[in-house]
Amino acid sequence: MAVTSAFDTEFPDRFPAMTRQRRILVVEDQEPLAVVIADVLGDSHEVVCVSNVTDAVDYLLSDSIDLVLLDCVLPDGPNWQVALEADRQQIPVILMTGDAEQAKELIAGQRIYLLKPFAIAALLDAVHRADASPAV
């Protein structure tokens, strides 16, 4: 419920509504791909990029995140640690993989996934679907 005062009605443009952009955590060890994702989503979301499991879990524990884009293969360990923490916080996760066989396994799951390389339109669609649906 929004709270307004007489001041708000008399001077509506004096203090424009401050709304926080949705914050996306991109967990991707390929820097060029992370940069493209951040560029594409940066106009409509606040994007934070990390390249490993440890930093991703630390970020999830210390900051407010609304969505995670998670590479399925990371250099410092299995991505399930990131997915579990996101699930614990009820944060939606979009999985990204370059392995077509792994993608076949993901099709059977409930999470949204992207098969690399993916089109920008596919990325935007996945983020839109994740924004519109509750976490798994």
Side-chain angles (χ1 to χ4, degrees):
M1 176 169 79
V3 177
T4 60
S5 70
F7 188 83
D8 294 331
T9 353
E10 290 178 27
F11 305 101
D13 297 329
R14 174 128 180 161
F15 298 101
M18 301 275 297
T19 57
R20 180 179 73 84
Q21 284 186 319
R22 292 182 53 81
R23 187 172 292 156
I24 297 177
L25 177 62
V26 176
V27 188
E28 172 58 64
D29 60 319
Q30 296 177 16
E31 185 178 357
L33 179 55
V35 168
V36 168
I37 292 170
D39 285 347
V40 168
L41 299 177
D43 289 338
S44 57
H45 296 78
E46 182 178 338
V47 180
V48 177
C49 297
V50 297
S51 62
N52 59 61
V53 170
T54 304
D55 290 346
V57 171
D58 287 347
Y59 208 94
L60 283 169
L61 291 171
S62 67
D63 212 335
S64 175
I65 299 295
D66 300 300
L67 174 64
V68 176
L69 279 147
L70 178 59
D71 186 6
C72 286
V73 180
L74 294 165
D76 66 331
N79 69 353
W80 59 263
Q81 293 170 307
V82 179
L84 283 176
E85 183 55 35
D87 289 349
R88 188 185 71 75
Q89 296 184 39
Q90 298 182 339
I91 300 169
V93 175
I94 297 172
L95 297 172
M96 302 181 293
T97 183
D99 182 346
E101 289 301 312
Q102 188 176 42
K104 288 179 186 175
E105 294 172 19
L106 295 174
I107 289 171
Q110 295 179 357
R111 294 194 196 273
I112 299 169
Y113 75 93
L114 292 165
L115 179 60
K116 298 180 204 174
F118 47 81
I120 290 173
L123 171 64
L124 294 172
D125 179 60
V127 170
H128 177 72
R129 288 185 319 179
D131 280 346
S133 67
V136 173

